[in-house]
Amino acid sequence: MRQIVQLLSFFAALLFITCNGSGQPVPSVKLNKEVRDNYIIRTDFNRYFDQCGVRGSVVIYDHSKQQWIVSDTIALNTRNLPASTFKIINLLIFLETKTIADENAIVKWPGATDTVKYGYRPDIYHDINIKSAFELSAGWAFIELAKKINRNVYRDYLVRCGYGNADVSFKEADFWNFGGLGISPVEQVKLLKNLYDEKLPFSKRNMDIVKKVMVSEQNADGIIRSKTGWTMAGGINTGWWVGYLETKGGAYFFATQLLQDRKKNRPDFSRCRKDITRAVLKDLEILH
C-alpha cells in the first residue's frame, strides 16, 4: 500500500504547477534521476508545518547513504524566491569575480536603505565587513556589491551551478528577494552538497572562505553551516533555512521552506524555520 501511495504522489508531483513568492506561475521541474531513484517520503513531518500555521516542505540528504528524505514529493520540484539564502552563492561570486578580496572586505554604508522593504534595523546601518554582513544578514551590503556585477555574469554562474531557473531579469539589484528567480529545496541542497564536495565552478580558496563564513553553530552534535532567508514579496512570507550538519558519522544537508499568506502573519514565522528543521533532524536521530 505504501508503494502505491508513493507512486501516486510521484505522478502528482510531475503534474503539479505552483507559484513562486511573487505569485507568478512556476512550471513544474522534472524530477532529477538522482532524487527519483533514492528517496524516502515522510509525510509525518508535515505536522510541524501545521503547528506553525504555514505551508512548506523539508528536504534532507544523507551524504554517506546518498539518500534523500522529503516531507512530500511536491518539495522536489517547487521553486520560490531564495531570499537571503542567495548570500551563499552571492558571496562565492563576489570572491570569484574579485569584487571583494576576502571575508574581511569592508562594504561602505550608502547612507540610506529602504526600511519599508527591509525593515528598520539601525544596528546594521554602518560600514561592515562581509563576514558580519553574512552573519547578521545585512542585505544592504550585498545589494551594494551586487550593483558592481553584470547580470550576464550572474546568469552564467547560476546556470553553471544549476541554481534554480537562473532568472536575473528583475531590474533592481536585489533580484533574489523580488522578481522571477526561483529555486527548489532540492536544488538548494544540491548546491550545498556540491560546495561541500568542492564541485562548483569556484576556486578551492573561495569555497573554503564561504564554508568558514557559513558556520552558524558548533556543539556536541557537530558543526552547522547555514543561512536563513525571508522575503515578503507578493504578499507571501517565503522563509528558508538551508545548510548542512557535519558530524562524526557524516554530513547531512537540509533545506526547509515555509510559505505563509501575510494576511495570516504569526509572530513565530521566523523561529519556525529552524524549529521545524531541528524537529525533523531529531526525528531522524541526526540531532540529539
Side-chain angles (χ1 to χ4, degrees):
M1 176 62 71
R2 183 179 179 183
Q3 290 179 332
I4 294 172
V5 171
Q6 289 184 344
L7 282 171
L8 289 173
S9 298
F10 169 78
F11 288 116
L14 289 178
L15 296 173
F16 182 78
I17 294 179
T18 186
C19 294
N20 65 12
S22 64
Q24 297 301 313
V26 177
S28 59
V29 181
K30 290 183 179 179
L31 295 178
N32 182 280
K33 186 177 187 299
E34 173 189 357
V35 181
R36 186 180 66 229
D37 291 351
N38 192 20
Y39 72 93
I40 297 171
I41 302 173
R42 290 289 302 269
T43 56
D44 55 310
F45 292 159
N46 289 320
R47 70 185 186 276
Y48 297 123
F49 295 93
D50 293 339
Q51 289 167 9
C52 282
V54 297
R55 294 177 291 118
S57 52
V58 59
V59 174
I60 308 292
Y61 179 76
D62 182 329
H63 195 274
S64 59
K65 293 181 179 178
Q66 297 185 6
Q67 187 171 74
W68 296 83
I69 304 167
V70 302
S71 58
D72 58 84
T73 51
I74 301 306
L76 300 179
N77 70 341
T78 303
R79 287 173 171 166
N80 284 284
L81 285 160
S84 284
T85 65
F86 191 76
K87 286 182 172 66
I88 296 170
I89 195 166
N90 225 351
L91 182 50
L92 286 164
I93 294 171
F94 292 161
L95 290 163
E96 199 73 17
T97 58
K98 295 181 168 50
T99 304
I100 58 172
D102 54 36
E103 72 274 27
N104 298 310
I106 301 295
V107 185
K108 294 291 184 180
W109 166 239
T113 187
D114 190 332
T115 57
V116 174
K117 289 171 68 176
Y118 309 114
Y120 181 60
R121 300 180 59 197
D123 57 309
I124 61 170
Y125 299 159
H126 54 76
D127 295 356
I128 193 169
N129 68 49
I130 199 67
K131 182 176 185 295
S132 295
F134 187 97
E135 292 171 350
L136 298 173
S137 211
W140 69 262
F142 282 78
I143 290 170
E144 291 303 305
L145 293 173
K147 292 174 182 177
K148 301 179 180 182
I149 299 177
N150 185 281
R151 289 298 175 89
N152 290 331
V153 173
Y154 262 122
R155 178 169 176 76
D156 178 62
Y157 277 116
L158 297 188
V159 169
R160 290 164 65 190
C161 292
Y163 195 92
N165 60 12
D167 184 345
V168 295
S169 61
F170 187 67
K171 292 182 179 180
E172 296 182 30
D174 57 341
F175 56 84
W176 53 89
N177 277 319
F178 305 92
L181 181 62
I183 188 169
S184 72
V186 162
E187 289 167 333
Q188 291 267 29
V189 165
K190 289 182 70 177
L191 177 79
L192 295 166
K193 185 165 72 75
N194 287 334
L195 174 62
Y196 177 85
D197 291 332
E198 298 180 350
K199 292 181 179 180
L200 292 175
F202 304 101
S203 71
K204 183 180 186 307
R205 169 193 180 268
N206 292 338
M207 287 189 283
D208 284 345
I209 287 174
V210 172
K211 290 176 186 179
K212 180 170 61 175
V213 170
M214 285 178 64
V215 173
S216 54
E217 297 178 37
Q218 192 166 356
N219 52 45
D221 286 314
I223 299 174
I224 294 179
R225 306 177 195 270
S226 68
K227 188 72 193 77
T228 55
W230 183 359
T231 178
M232 305 172 190
I236 300 294
N237 284 320
T238 301
W240 294 92
W241 192 33
V242 307
Y244 59 97
L245 169 65
E246 294 174 279
T247 71
K248 293 180 181 179
Y252 301 88
F253 300 79
F254 59 85
T256 300
Q257 175 186 240
L258 280 63
L259 299 170
Q260 182 185 68
D261 188 328
R262 285 189 52 75
K263 294 177 182 177
K264 301 177 181 179
N265 270 348
R266 281 177 37 164
D268 60 352
F269 180 83
S270 179
R271 190 183 72 243
C272 280
R273 295 173 296 179
K274 291 188 177 182
D275 286 353
I276 291 172
T277 309
R278 291 183 189 282
V280 167
L281 292 174
K282 286 180 180 178
D283 281 356
L284 296 171
E285 299 184 349
I286 296 170
L287 281 181
H288 302 99

